[in-house]
Amino acid sequence: MADADADPSTRPSSARIYDALLGGNHNFAADREAAKRLLTAIPGAGDMARANRAFLSRAVEYLLERGVRQFLDIGSGIPTVGNVHEIAQRREPGARVVYVDIDPVAVAHSNDILKDNPAAAAVQADMRFPEAILDHPAVRDLLDLDQPIGLLLVAMLHFVPDDDAYLAVDRLRAALPPGSYVVISHGVSDTPADAASEQVAALYRRTDVSAAHGRTRGEILRFFGNAELVQPGLVWVHEWPDAGNGEPHGMAVVAGVAQINP
């Protein structure tokens, strides 16, 4: 995790690297340099970031169609390019969104963006401590935990170690009422680590996360627990919800949406 005393402009952040890959402007030179190194190791990283963002948009639209009007976006980064509150509130002006990120700079940027939006807020929290998220005043003020919620965990769980990640997602999922949805995209690794993945892991060890690592499809499916995967299940991120196009070159991210039933 990040050193609290470090200058945020000199230490890359996973949230701001993602913003740089998406073409956003809420990042520092150190983040842009890290994004360049990431693109050198994985030339398709920009495509993956954009595919993740497009999946997020489609998933939010899907949940809106099914009556979900409130969203908890954990590991949200900076809501600048294809953000949840604009997607949701464009269709449903009363939709409420809480963004959660560990990076204080990302949260500060987010709250500046959201300062005139009473139905959206950003909070700084660590997803490894889900009770602190669920009990946060902003979450309690904006979200009704007795009504369906869209829990968004998009392109972030591969930054959290196994024990912490599974326990945290289990607790978050258990706190959601029936009719809620869990939305996940995740880097997949069904083969032994190669030189590129080792470069990526080394790069992220210099950011605000301990490392970045993929999981197998079976390991990713564990995050959904007993929630029921909607069709087409866990597929390549660009395929959801229209599976069948195969894996594009350089794509190593899968995605799925599941509903919590009584």
Side-chain angles (χ1 to χ4, degrees), residues 107-194:
V107 172
H109 279 307
S110 300
N111 278 319
D112 185 58
I113 293 167
L114 300 170
K115 61 187 177 184
D116 296 321
N117 190 328
V123 302
Q124 183 187 356
D126 187 333
M127 83 149 293
R128 297 176 302 167
F129 305 100
E131 287 80 8
I133 295 174
L134 296 168
D135 292 336
H136 193 285
V139 173
R140 291 290 178 175
D141 286 347
L142 279 178
L143 305 183
D144 181 353
L145 296 182
D146 293 323
Q147 296 297 319
I149 290 174
L151 173 62
L152 311 176
L153 302 166
V154 176
M156 59 83 57
L157 287 171
H158 40 245
F159 295 122
V160 187
D162 283 346
D163 291 345
D164 293 332
Y166 288 120
L167 184 59
V169 176
D170 284 350
R171 289 177 176 173
L172 289 165
R173 204 176 55 246
L176 300 180
S180 295
Y181 287 83
V182 181
V183 176
I184 293 174
S185 70
H186 195 299
V188 65
S189 178
D190 290 324
T191 59
D194 57 17

Side-chain angles (χ1 to χ4, degrees), residues 59-72 88 91-92 95-96 147-152 179-181 259:
V60 169
E61 292 281 4
Y62 178 90
L63 269 56
L64 288 166
E65 289 173 2
R66 281 145 188 84
V68 176
R69 297 293 181 267
Q70 45 185 3
F71 300 86
L72 180 59
R91 177 167 177 159
E92 294 291 338
R96 301 180 302 283
Q147 296 297 319
I149 290 174
L151 173 62
L152 311 176
S180 295
Y181 287 83
Q259 184 177 29

Side-chain angles (χ1 to χ4, degrees), residues 29-55:
D31 307 304
R32 294 188 289 277
E33 180 58 33
K36 289 180 183 177
R37 292 200 301 272
L38 181 58
L39 287 167
T40 298
I42 303 179
D47 291 336
M48 284 188 271
R50 288 184 288 274
N52 263 301
R53 209 60 162 179
F55 161 70

